[in-house]
Each structure stands twice: as structure tokens, then as C-alpha cells.
Amino acid sequence: MERVAKGIINLNPLTKLLAVLVLGVISLMFPSPWLGFGILLALMIMAMIVKLSAVFYKLIFGFGIPLTLMLVFIQGFYSTKNKTVLLDLGFAQLGLEGTMYALKLVSALLVFVAAFFLMNQTTKTSKLVAALIESGLNAKIGYLVLASLNVVPQMNRRMKSIKEAQESRGVSLAGNIIHRFKTFLPLIGPVILSSLIDAQERGMALETRGFGLKDVKVTSLTQVETTMLDYAIRIILLGAFIGVALFALFGT
């Protein structure tokens, strides 16, 4: 199990990104929702293997249950595709076609969310950006991607350190919602200012290292390898995409 988890984590980030796109798209293209729910079950097993099941299940069920109820209500009762009645409430009728369409949308959205979550949790941001740059992405765009992905975790860390500093000075952050809101407002200013200062300092550091020079080969400390397993997974994913696309076009 540890070996399988290590293999998933060490996959090329571009392979994982391709998996997110292909799995989500084929779930949406397939005529019924069962392929999407099957893929979601496989992703749940994968989350258990990489020891992310607790957070994964909380995300999927916390997002999936209200989304399912909302879409089934809208599509099941009011879709123009409804022909077969599943439940007659008198004032409204739940249709089979609308319900199945809602479940297909739910399965595709959950597959996108679940696959992206696993990719994000098992992939270092630096490796993802390095892989994108190696594939031909402009280094400046790569830096923007890296900075965008890192901004939320950095602000969370700053918020945590500022809260700890406030608590050490005797400021109580516990209590009802109104009190928490009042104590939270003064924290926003230092977090934003420190983030702006950090961005300025990082830009100056990049310029001193020749980041903006033209006609120069860009190198990276982070090296990303593409193994035979990556090639095999990519071929399987592309084959699955072609197969589902053909089935969706000619199989129904």
C-alpha cells in the first residue's frame, strides 16, 4: 500500500492534471451518471491509499449532498426532458429523465472536485510549475501560477501567526460571532500589508537574479521526471477519452 501511495505522489504533475481533465470530461460526456460515480468510488479508494480519506470524504459529502439535493429538485421537478414519472406529489411530479441528468451533472462535478483535490494534495506546487515550464509555458506565467497557488496558504500562515501574537498579548479571540468578527477585522490589515510587502520583496529578489532577462535559458532547482508509468497512464487516459467520446456519439 505504501508503495502504491508513493507511486501516486511521485507521478508527473502533468499526468495528474491530464487525469483531472479527462476524468471530469468523460464523466460529463457519458450518457448515464454511473461512470462518474464509478470514477468517484475509485478516487475515494485512492484517497484512502494516500491517507487523505478524512478530509476527502468531508469535502465530497459536504459539497455533494447539498449539490445533489438542489440539482435533483430543479431538474427532477422542472426539466422539460421529463417524460417518465417517478414520484407524483400532486402539485409537482418528479421525472426520471431530469433526475438522471441531475445525477450526471453531480457525478461530473464531484469527479472534477475530487480529482483536483487529490492532485493538489499529492503534488508540490513547485513541481507543478516546473513541469508546466518544461512543457513550454513561459517562465513569467509559471511564476504567476505559483504565486497564485501559494497566496492562500501564505495568508493562512500569516493569519495564524498574527492570531497567536494577539492571544499572547491577552486579546481574546473566542466568544460569539459578533465578538469574533470584531476581533477578526483588525487582523485583516496586517495580513494584507505583509502580503504586499512580501510580493514586493520577492519581485526585487527575482529581478536581482535575472528573472526578466531575455534570450536566456531558464533553469530550475526543481526537477520533474516523466517515467514509463506516466506515459502508460497518459495513453490509458487518452484511450478512455476516445472510447467514451465514440460511445457518446454512436453508441446511443
Side-chain angles (χ1 to χ4, degrees), residues 79-111:
S79 176
T80 56
K81 301 177 181 179
N82 288 332
K83 295 180 181 179
T84 306
V85 178
L86 289 177
L87 181 63
D88 191 350
L89 300 178
F91 60 90
Q93 293 179 334
L94 181 66
L96 174 63
E97 291 77 11
T99 300
M100 295 299 291
Y101 180 69
L103 291 176
K104 188 177 84 166
L105 291 178
V106 169
S107 66
L109 288 173
L110 290 180
V111 166

Side-chain angles (χ1 to χ4, degrees), residues 10 25 29 48 55 95 100 136 155 178 228:
N10 291 333
V25 170
M29 290 171 54
M48 292 177 60
V55 183
M100 295 299 291
M155 293 187 72
I178 297 176
M228 293 301 297

Side-chain angles (χ1 to χ4, degrees), residues 4-40:
V4 176
K6 187 176 180 181
I8 294 172
I9 294 172
N10 291 333
L11 285 174
N12 189 297
L14 294 183
T15 303
K16 298 179 185 179
L17 187 60
L18 179 64
V20 174
L21 296 174
V22 171
L23 294 178
V25 170
I26 64 175
S27 300
L28 191 60
M29 290 171 54
F30 199 72
S32 73
W34 308 124
L35 176 63
F37 285 120
I39 294 173
L40 189 62

Side-chain angles (χ1 to χ4, degrees), residues 35 45 56 79 99-100 114 144 167 169 182 222 243 250:
L35 176 63
I45 297 173
F56 182 86
S79 176
T99 300
M100 295 299 291
L144 290 176
E167 289 175 346
R169 294 181 176 90
K182 288 181 179 179
T222 304
F250 305 108

Side-chain angles (χ1 to χ4, degrees), residues 34-87:
W34 308 124
L35 176 63
F37 285 120
I39 294 173
L40 189 62
L41 179 61
L43 293 174
M44 288 181 176
I45 297 173
M46 191 179 297
M48 292 177 60
I49 294 174
V50 296
K51 299 179 180 179
L52 291 170
S53 55
V55 183
F56 182 86
Y57 294 156
K58 184 178 179 180
L59 171 67
I60 294 303
F61 289 109
F63 176 71
I65 292 175
L67 178 67
T68 302
L69 294 175
M70 180 185 69
L71 287 179
V72 168
F73 177 80
I74 296 172
Q75 295 292 332
F77 285 105
Y78 301 106
S79 176
T80 56
K81 301 177 181 179
N82 288 332
K83 295 180 181 179
T84 306
V85 178
L86 289 177
L87 181 63

